[in-house]
Amino acid sequence: MVRIVSIGEILVEIMRKEVGIPLGIPGDFVGPFPSGAPAIFADAASRLGGDVGFIGAVGDDPFGHLCYNRLKEDGVDVSKLKIVKGKTTACAFISYAYDGSRDFIFHLKDTAADTLSPDEIDESYFEKTEIIHICGSALSVSERMRETCIKSARIVKAKGGKVFFDPNIRPQLLSVEEIRRIVAPIMEICDVFLPSSEEASMITGLDEPIKACEYLSQRMLVVLKQGEKGCTAFTQEGVFHSPAIRVDVVDPTGAGDCFAGAFAVGMLEGMSLPKLLQFANIVAGLSLTKKGPMEGAPLRELVEEFMGFVG
């Protein structure tokens, strides 16, 4: 029974060693690195001192044990992270272009990650859960995974907890209409929405991201992730902006998940909104400085040192 729960896909990520090498030609890769947006969130939150559990599945293979052990070593409760015999661990291949864009090839369907079922959800596990984090990437894996995430979120909501939602669905994988359909049940119960500008417009159908966030803030806290510009929170009381920190970017993958993990931890600690935004920005910034989506997730001591430095 943990205070923060993340549910969804966990996988290994294998990336191009050099920038500018497309996936479709021979070249060198580095990895595997533990990954998957819901798992990155859980790992980052735990490294910051959060009481975090993860619900998911890996294969009984070297990749699966890598992911399982990483979460366990970083303090995540893995009692609901099952190891599935006869199924492989999900994986993703990634390349980086010189303009900062990324290209992905995912292998998720028919892997261990896609074996989560609503029937497996133990309601008692959420007895003390105050925040459940849902990622759009998990909702898009399969109908079975989607139903499992939605059921879990509704249980936590009914018990008085908060539902965090990061849309995190790439429009090149699904149509905008399909994305809106599959996220609708979560948006109905969402308490904290963590979109990018593109995602805010895509979910609402409003071309202007700021207007989209203002519209949604009538019924939830909206925190717009703006990359190198920082973030902006939209509340019924007003709009609050917090700038990003400056770092040398090594790997941007997972920064948004680390931001969300920090936001969850800081919220449960009762941080004021300005401090909470700064805290999450620093965590996201520091996460950019190492190759691998979990590798840069900072420990609490480093974050507090940095917060003191930036005032």
Side-chain angles (χ1 to χ4, degrees):
M1 294 185 290
V2 290
R3 298 182 72 194
I4 301 172
V5 172
S6 184
I7 180 172
E9 77 278 9
I10 181 169
L11 52 90
V12 294
E13 189 171 294
I14 301 163
M15 63 185 68
R16 283 297 194 192
K17 186 175 181 180
E18 305 294 339
V19 175
I21 309 298
L23 290 174
I25 64 174
D28 293 334
F29 288 89
V30 293
F33 296 106
S35 189
I40 299 167
F41 167 94
D43 191 77
S46 184
R47 287 172 66 84
L48 293 169
D51 179 15
V52 187
F54 181 77
I55 301 174
V58 294
D60 189 13
D61 55 28
F63 286 171
H65 294 295
L66 170 68
C67 293
Y68 184 97
N69 291 334
R70 174 57 184 269
L71 292 189
K72 184 176 181 179
E73 290 167 3
D74 281 344
V76 178
D77 177 70
V78 292
S79 62
K80 299 300 180 181
L81 174 53
K82 62 179 182 177
I83 299 176
V84 183
K85 294 186 180 295
K87 289 284 186 178
T88 58
T89 300
C91 63
F93 293 86
I94 181 172
S95 66
Y96 298 90
Y98 288 111
D99 64 1
S101 62
R102 297 168 289 170
D103 189 23
F104 296 87
I105 295 177
F106 289 99
H107 177 52
L108 284 167
K109 293 188 182 299
D110 298 320
T111 68
D114 192 22
T115 64
L116 282 185
S117 168
D119 296 337
E120 296 177 285
I121 295 302
D122 177 8
E123 185 169 342
S124 67
Y125 186 67
F126 302 112
E127 196 62 36
K128 294 185 178 180
T129 301
E130 297 175 59
I131 291 174
I132 186 167
H133 184 65
I134 304 295
C135 291
S137 56
L139 299 179
S140 65
V141 169
S142 66
E143 184 175 355
R144 176 171 52 191
M145 173 80 86
R146 182 159 60 251
E147 291 175 353
T148 305
C149 291
I150 293 169
K151 177 180 179 179
S152 301
R154 286 173 173 165
I155 291 171
V156 173
K157 183 79 171 184
K159 292 179 179 292
K162 294 184 181 300
V163 176
F164 274 42
F165 180 49
D166 183 343
N168 192 27
I169 303 179
R170 294 172 180 83
Q172 59 265 39
L173 299 179
L174 294 171
S175 69
V176 172
E177 291 74 18
E178 183 69 3
I179 290 172
R180 289 175 183 162
R181 183 185 71 81
I182 66 175
V183 307
I186 292 297
M187 288 298 292
E188 289 175 2
I189 58 174
C190 181
D191 296 288
V192 179
F193 185 49
L194 300 143
S196 65
S197 294
E198 180 185 23
E199 291 164 345
S201 294
M202 180 172 58
I203 297 298
T204 61
L206 299 173
D207 292 335
E208 174 51 53
I210 299 301
K211 291 189 180 300
C213 292
E214 290 174 341
Y215 168 74
L216 289 170
S217 69
Q218 299 173 33
R219 54 191 179 91
M220 64 187 72
L221 170 61
V222 180
V223 183
L224 181 65
K225 297 178 293 185
Q226 298 169 290
E228 63 183 16
K229 295 181 181 179
C231 64
T232 303
F234 297 80
T235 75
Q236 293 184 3
E237 290 73 36
V239 177
F240 304 85
H241 179 74
S242 182
I245 62 171
R246 297 193 177 202
V247 296
D248 293 327
V249 178
V250 175
D251 183 359
T253 303
D257 306 307
C258 291
F259 178 97
F263 202 89
V265 171
M267 176 174 280
L268 290 188
E269 292 182 4
M271 290 185 185
S272 66
L273 186 55
K275 183 178 180 180
L276 180 51
L277 297 174
Q278 181 192 51
F279 179 65
N281 271 338
I282 289 173
V283 170
L286 292 173
S287 76
L288 300 169
T289 61
K290 292 183 181 179
K291 189 177 289 293
M294 289 186 190
E295 309 314 304
L299 294 172
R300 184 61 175 262
E301 293 78 8
L302 178 60
V303 179
E304 291 182 346
E305 179 182 340
F306 213 97
M307 288 186 75
F309 176 74
V310 299

mmCIF file of all heavy atoms in Angstrom, residues 151-181:
data_model
loop_
_atom_site.group_PDB
_atom_site.id
_atom_site.type_symbol
_atom_site.label_atom_id
_atom_site.label_comp_id
_atom_site.label_asym_id
_atom_site.label_seq_id
_atom_site.Cartn_x
_atom_site.Cartn_y
_atom_site.Cartn_z
ATOM 1 N N LYS A 151 -9.660 1.356 -14.891
ATOM 2 C CA LYS A 151 -10.212 0.755 -13.674
ATOM 3 C C LYS A 151 -9.407 1.197 -12.452
ATOM 4 O O LYS A 151 -9.992 1.584 -11.420
ATOM 5 C CB LYS A 151 -10.186 -0.765 -13.789
ATOM 6 C CG LYS A 151 -10.672 -1.476 -12.525
ATOM 7 C CD LYS A 151 -10.623 -2.990 -12.673
ATOM 8 C CE LYS A 151 -11.080 -3.676 -11.393
ATOM 9 N NZ LYS A 151 -11.075 -5.161 -11.522
ATOM 10 N N SER A 152 -8.105 1.173 -12.550
ATOM 11 C CA SER A 152 -7.244 1.553 -11.423
ATOM 12 C C SER A 152 -7.442 3.014 -11.053
ATOM 13 O O SER A 152 -7.534 3.369 -9.866
ATOM 14 C CB SER A 152 -5.778 1.283 -11.777
ATOM 15 O OG SER A 152 -5.572 -0.082 -12.073
ATOM 16 N N ALA A 153 -7.513 3.879 -12.060
ATOM 17 C CA ALA A 153 -7.695 5.311 -11.802
ATOM 18 C C ALA A 153 -9.034 5.566 -11.121
ATOM 19 O O ALA A 153 -9.137 6.395 -10.204
ATOM 20 C CB ALA A 153 -7.594 6.082 -13.111
ATOM 21 N N ARG A 154 -10.068 4.871 -11.550
ATOM 22 C CA ARG A 154 -11.386 5.065 -10.938
ATOM 23 C C ARG A 154 -11.412 4.597 -9.487
ATOM 24 O O ARG A 154 -12.082 5.208 -8.651
ATOM 25 C CB ARG A 154 -12.441 4.330 -11.767
ATOM 26 C CG ARG A 154 -12.762 5.032 -13.091
ATOM 27 C CD ARG A 154 -13.681 4.206 -13.974
ATOM 28 N NE ARG A 154 -14.108 4.969 -15.146
ATOM 29 C CZ ARG A 154 -14.665 4.436 -16.233
ATOM 30 N NH1 ARG A 154 -14.878 3.117 -16.268
ATOM 31 N NH2 ARG A 154 -15.019 5.191 -17.250
ATOM 32 N N ILE A 155 -10.681 3.537 -9.189
ATOM 33 C CA ILE A 155 -10.614 3.060 -7.802
ATOM 34 C C ILE A 155 -9.979 4.126 -6.913
ATOM 35 O O ILE A 155 -10.491 4.462 -5.840
ATOM 36 C CB ILE A 155 -9.813 1.753 -7.714
ATOM 37 C CG1 ILE A 155 -10.583 0.606 -8.372
ATOM 38 C CG2 ILE A 155 -9.489 1.407 -6.261
ATOM 39 C CD1 ILE A 155 -9.784 -0.670 -8.520
ATOM 40 N N VAL A 156 -8.845 4.672 -7.382
ATOM 41 C CA VAL A 156 -8.147 5.695 -6.593
ATOM 42 C C VAL A 156 -9.007 6.944 -6.454
ATOM 43 O O VAL A 156 -9.107 7.540 -5.370
ATOM 44 C CB VAL A 156 -6.790 6.037 -7.237
ATOM 45 C CG1 VAL A 156 -6.137 7.227 -6.534
ATOM 46 C CG2 VAL A 156 -5.858 4.822 -7.194
ATOM 47 N N LYS A 157 -9.651 7.348 -7.523
ATOM 48 C CA LYS A 157 -10.515 8.528 -7.488
ATOM 49 C C LYS A 157 -11.654 8.332 -6.487
ATOM 50 O O LYS A 157 -11.976 9.238 -5.698
ATOM 51 C CB LYS A 157 -11.088 8.785 -8.884
ATOM 52 C CG LYS A 157 -11.959 10.023 -8.997
ATOM 53 C CD LYS A 157 -11.120 11.281 -9.091
ATOM 54 C CE LYS A 157 -11.989 12.486 -9.424
ATOM 55 N NZ LYS A 157 -11.185 13.713 -9.611
ATOM 56 N N ALA A 158 -12.254 7.157 -6.487
ATOM 57 C CA ALA A 158 -13.371 6.872 -5.585
ATOM 58 C C ALA A 158 -12.943 6.893 -4.118
ATOM 59 O O ALA A 158 -13.754 7.177 -3.231
ATOM 60 C CB ALA A 158 -13.982 5.516 -5.925
ATOM 61 N N LYS A 159 -11.673 6.600 -3.877
ATOM 62 C CA LYS A 159 -11.143 6.602 -2.516
ATOM 63 C C LYS A 159 -10.655 7.984 -2.089
ATOM 64 O O LYS A 159 -10.113 8.146 -0.993
ATOM 65 C CB LYS A 159 -10.004 5.588 -2.397
ATOM 66 C CG LYS A 159 -10.453 4.130 -2.516
ATOM 67 C CD LYS A 159 -9.262 3.184 -2.412
ATOM 68 C CE LYS A 159 -9.698 1.730 -2.504
ATOM 69 N NZ LYS A 159 -10.496 1.312 -1.330
ATOM 70 N N GLY A 160 -10.809 8.982 -2.963
ATOM 71 C CA GLY A 160 -10.432 10.344 -2.620
ATOM 72 C C GLY A 160 -9.050 10.753 -3.094
ATOM 73 O O GLY A 160 -8.580 11.848 -2.768
ATOM 74 N N GLY A 161 -8.389 9.897 -3.888
ATOM 75 C CA GLY A 161 -7.071 10.230 -4.410
ATOM 76 C C GLY A 161 -7.153 11.080 -5.672
ATOM 77 O O GLY A 161 -8.233 11.335 -6.210
ATOM 78 N N LYS A 162 -5.987 11.514 -6.138
ATOM 79 C CA LYS A 162 -5.905 12.355 -7.333
ATOM 80 C C LYS A 162 -5.415 11.537 -8.522
ATOM 81 O O LYS A 162 -4.554 10.662 -8.380
ATOM 82 C CB LYS A 162 -4.965 13.545 -7.095
ATOM 83 C CG LYS A 162 -5.462 14.534 -6.045
ATOM 84 C CD LYS A 162 -4.538 15.728 -5.947
ATOM 85 C CE LYS A 162 -5.020 16.718 -4.879
ATOM 86 N NZ LYS A 162 -6.367 17.239 -5.170
ATOM 87 N N VAL A 163 -5.949 11.876 -9.687
ATOM 88 C CA VAL A 163 -5.539 11.233 -10.929
ATOM 89 C C VAL A 163 -4.655 12.198 -11.716
ATOM 90 O O VAL A 163 -5.093 13.288 -12.099
ATOM 91 C CB VAL A 163 -6.761 10.825 -11.780
ATOM 92 C CG1 VAL A 163 -6.302 10.238 -13.119
ATOM 93 C CG2 VAL A 163 -7.630 9.824 -11.019
ATOM 94 N N PHE A 164 -3.397 11.804 -11.926
ATOM 95 C CA PHE A 164 -2.479 12.532 -12.791
ATOM 96 C C PHE A 164 -2.585 11.938 -14.191
ATOM 97 O O PHE A 164 -2.647 10.715 -14.349
ATOM 98 C CB PHE A 164 -1.028 12.366 -12.309
ATOM 99 C CG PHE A 164 -0.576 13.342 -11.259
ATOM 100 C CD1 PHE A 164 -1.403 13.697 -10.201
ATOM 101 C CD2 PHE A 164 0.685 13.889 -11.311
ATOM 102 C CE1 PHE A 164 -0.980 14.579 -9.222
ATOM 103 C CE2 PHE A 164 1.129 14.771 -10.350
ATOM 104 C CZ PHE A 164 0.297 15.126 -9.298
ATOM 105 N N PHE A 165 -2.565 12.789 -15.212
ATOM 106 C CA PHE A 165 -2.602 12.278 -16.584
ATOM 107 C C PHE A 165 -1.635 13.045 -17.474
ATOM 108 O O PHE A 165 -1.710 14.268 -17.592
ATOM 109 C CB PHE A 165 -4.014 12.373 -17.161
ATOM 110 C CG PHE A 165 -4.117 11.857 -18.575
ATOM 111 C CD1 PHE A 165 -3.583 10.623 -18.931
ATOM 112 C CD2 PHE A 165 -4.752 12.606 -19.557
ATOM 113 C CE1 PHE A 165 -3.673 10.150 -20.234
ATOM 114 C CE2 PHE A 165 -4.855 12.138 -20.862
ATOM 115 C CZ PHE A 165 -4.306 10.908 -21.195
ATOM 116 N N ASP A 166 -0.718 12.298 -18.067
ATOM 117 C CA ASP A 166 0.203 12.824 -19.075
ATOM 118 C C ASP A 166 -0.196 12.196 -20.400
ATOM 119 O O ASP A 166 -0.049 10.987 -20.574
ATOM 120 C CB ASP A 166 1.639 12.439 -18.713
ATOM 121 C CG ASP A 166 2.666 13.002 -19.678
ATOM 122 O OD1 ASP A 166 2.277 13.417 -20.789
ATOM 123 O OD2 ASP A 166 3.862 13.018 -19.342
ATOM 124 N N PRO A 167 -0.729 12.974 -21.366
ATOM 125 C CA PRO A 167 -1.256 12.370 -22.597
ATOM 126 C C PRO A 167 -0.233 11.561 -23.373
ATOM 127 O O PRO A 167 -0.500 10.440 -23.787
ATOM 128 C CB PRO A 167 -1.775 13.562 -23.399
ATOM 129 C CG PRO A 167 -1.230 14.772 -22.743
ATOM 130 C CD PRO A 167 -0.970 14.425 -21.318
ATOM 131 N N ASN A 168 0.939 12.089 -23.625
ATOM 132 C CA ASN A 168 2.083 11.315 -24.113
ATOM 133 C C ASN A 168 1.720 10.274 -25.187
ATOM 134 O O ASN A 168 2.162 9.129 -25.134
ATOM 135 C CB ASN A 168 2.751 10.613 -22.911
ATOM 136 C CG ASN A 168 4.108 10.020 -23.273
ATOM 137 O OD1 ASN A 168 4.770 10.496 -24.179
ATOM 138 N ND2 ASN A 168 4.497 8.968 -22.580
ATOM 139 N N ILE A 169 0.893 10.670 -26.153
ATOM 140 C CA ILE A 169 0.574 9.803 -27.283
ATOM 141 C C ILE A 169 1.018 10.510 -28.556
ATOM 142 O O ILE A 169 0.660 11.669 -28.780
ATOM 143 C CB ILE A 169 -0.929 9.497 -27.391
ATOM 144 C CG1 ILE A 169 -1.446 8.853 -26.109
ATOM 145 C CG2 ILE A 169 -1.203 8.575 -28.578
ATOM 146 C CD1 ILE A 169 -2.925 8.540 -26.147
ATOM 147 N N ARG A 170 1.785 9.822 -29.366
ATOM 148 C CA ARG A 170 2.286 10.428 -30.594
ATOM 149 C C ARG A 170 1.225 10.338 -31.693
ATOM 150 O O ARG A 170 0.783 9.249 -32.035
ATOM 151 C CB ARG A 170 3.583 9.750 -31.024
ATOM 152 C CG ARG A 170 4.689 10.021 -30.033
ATOM 153 C CD ARG A 170 5.951 9.239 -30.296
ATOM 154 N NE ARG A 170 6.945 9.582 -29.286
ATOM 155 C CZ ARG A 170 6.995 9.041 -28.075
ATOM 156 N NH1 ARG A 170 6.120 8.121 -27.738
ATOM 157 N NH2 ARG A 170 7.916 9.415 -27.215
ATOM 158 N N PRO A 171 0.853 11.492 -32.276
ATOM 159 C CA PRO A 171 -0.203 11.490 -33.289
ATOM 160 C C PRO A 171 0.153 10.700 -34.547
ATOM 161 O O PRO A 171 -0.734 10.347 -35.326
ATOM 162 C CB PRO A 171 -0.401 12.984 -33.598
ATOM 163 C CG PRO A 171 0.828 13.660 -33.102
ATOM 164 C CD PRO A 171 1.332 12.842 -31.960
ATOM 165 N N GLN A 172 1.453 10.410 -34.749
ATOM 166 C CA GLN A 172 1.821 9.597 -35.910
ATOM 167 C C GLN A 172 1.431 8.131 -35.714
ATOM 168 O O GLN A 172 1.430 7.354 -36.665
ATOM 169 C CB GLN A 172 3.323 9.699 -36.210
ATOM 170 C CG GLN A 172 4.245 9.260 -35.103
ATOM 171 C CD GLN A 172 4.704 10.416 -34.237
ATOM 172 O OE1 GLN A 172 3.916 11.317 -33.945
ATOM 173 N NE2 GLN A 172 5.967 10.405 -33.838
ATOM 174 N N LEU A 173 1.093 7.737 -34.477
ATOM 175 C CA LEU A 173 0.702 6.362 -34.203
ATOM 176 C C LEU A 173 -0.814 6.167 -34.270
ATOM 177 O O LEU A 173 -1.297 5.088 -34.609
ATOM 178 C CB LEU A 173 1.213 5.934 -32.827
ATOM 179 C CG LEU A 173 2.732 5.963 -32.620
ATOM 180 C CD1 LEU A 173 3.075 5.542 -31.200
ATOM 181 C CD2 LEU A 173 3.448 5.074 -33.631
ATOM 182 N N LEU A 174 -1.571 7.204 -33.902
ATOM 183 C CA LEU A 174 -3.027 7.129 -33.900
ATOM 184 C C LEU A 174 -3.587 8.432 -34.438
ATOM 185 O O LEU A 174 -2.951 9.487 -34.348
ATOM 186 C CB LEU A 174 -3.557 6.898 -32.478
ATOM 187 C CG LEU A 174 -3.235 5.579 -31.788
ATOM 188 C CD1 LEU A 174 -3.657 5.658 -30.332
ATOM 189 C CD2 LEU A 174 -3.927 4.412 -32.480
ATOM 190 N N SER A 175 -4.799 8.382 -34.986
ATOM 191 C CA SER A 175 -5.445 9.606 -35.441
ATOM 192 C C SER A 175 -5.851 10.454 -34.236
ATOM 193 O O SER A 175 -6.000 9.942 -33.119
ATOM 194 C CB SER A 175 -6.689 9.269 -36.270
ATOM 195 O OG SER A 175 -7.700 8.708 -35.440
ATOM 196 N N VAL A 176 -6.027 11.736 -34.470
ATOM 197 C CA VAL A 176 -6.436 12.640 -33.394
ATOM 198 C C VAL A 176 -7.778 12.203 -32.819
ATOM 199 O O VAL A 176 -7.981 12.221 -31.597
ATOM 200 C CB VAL A 176 -6.502 14.093 -33.907
ATOM 201 C CG1 VAL A 176 -7.122 15.005 -32.847
ATOM 202 C CG2 VAL A 176 -5.121 14.591 -34.285
ATOM 203 N N GLU A 177 -8.681 11.772 -33.689
ATOM 204 C CA GLU A 177 -10.007 11.336 -33.231
ATOM 205 C C GLU A 177 -9.890 10.107 -32.330
ATOM 206 O O GLU A 177 -10.579 10.009 -31.306
ATOM 207 C CB GLU A 177 -10.896 11.012 -34.431
ATOM 208 C CG GLU A 177 -11.300 12.220 -35.266
ATOM 209 C CD GLU A 177 -10.171 12.759 -36.128
ATOM 210 O OE1 GLU A 177 -9.175 12.008 -36.356
ATOM 211 O OE2 GLU A 177 -10.252 13.923 -36.557
ATOM 212 N N GLU A 178 -9.014 9.174 -32.701
ATOM 213 C CA GLU A 178 -8.816 7.974 -31.891
ATOM 214 C C GLU A 178 -8.174 8.323 -30.554
ATOM 215 O O GLU A 178 -8.540 7.777 -29.507
ATOM 216 C CB GLU A 178 -7.949 6.975 -32.650
ATOM 217 C CG GLU A 178 -7.734 5.649 -31.934
ATOM 218 C CD GLU A 178 -8.980 4.802 -31.846
ATOM 219 O OE1 GLU A 178 -10.023 5.209 -32.397
ATOM 220 O OE2 GLU A 178 -8.931 3.723 -31.226
ATOM 221 N N ILE A 179 -7.223 9.245 -30.569
ATOM 222 C CA ILE A 179 -6.582 9.668 -29.322
ATOM 223 C C ILE A 179 -7.610 10.276 -28.372
ATOM 224 O O ILE A 179 -7.652 9.948 -27.180
ATOM 225 C CB ILE A 179 -5.449 10.668 -29.620
ATOM 226 C CG1 ILE A 179 -4.278 9.954 -30.306
ATOM 227 C CG2 ILE A 179 -4.979 11.358 -28.341
ATOM 228 C CD1 ILE A 179 -3.189 10.873 -30.806
ATOM 229 N N ARG A 180 -8.445 11.154 -28.888
ATOM 230 C CA ARG A 180 -9.471 11.781 -28.040
ATOM 231 C C ARG A 180 -10.419 10.740 -27.461
ATOM 232 O O ARG A 180 -10.850 10.858 -26.309
ATOM 233 C CB ARG A 180 -10.249 12.815 -28.850
ATOM 234 C CG ARG A 180 -9.452 14.066 -29.191
ATOM 235 C CD ARG A 180 -10.235 14.987 -30.083
ATOM 236 N NE ARG A 180 -9.451 16.154 -30.480
ATOM 237 C CZ ARG A 180 -9.748 16.936 -31.506
ATOM 238 N NH1 ARG A 180 -10.829 16.685 -32.229
ATOM 239 N NH2 ARG A 180 -8.977 17.962 -31.805
ATOM 240 N N ARG A 181 -10.725 9.731 -28.244
ATOM 241 C CA ARG A 181 -11.651 8.695 -27.769
ATOM 242 C C ARG A 181 -11.053 7.894 -26.620
ATOM 243 O O ARG A 181 -11.722 7.662 -25.601
ATOM 244 C CB ARG A 181 -12.014 7.753 -28.925
ATOM 245 C CG ARG A 181 -13.029 6.681 -28.529
ATOM 246 C CD ARG A 181 -13.282 5.700 -29.651
ATOM 247 N NE ARG A 181 -12.136 4.823 -29.882
ATOM 248 C CZ ARG A 181 -11.867 3.740 -29.155
ATOM 249 N NH1 ARG A 181 -12.638 3.387 -28.141
ATOM 250 N NH2 ARG A 181 -10.817 2.988 -29.455
#
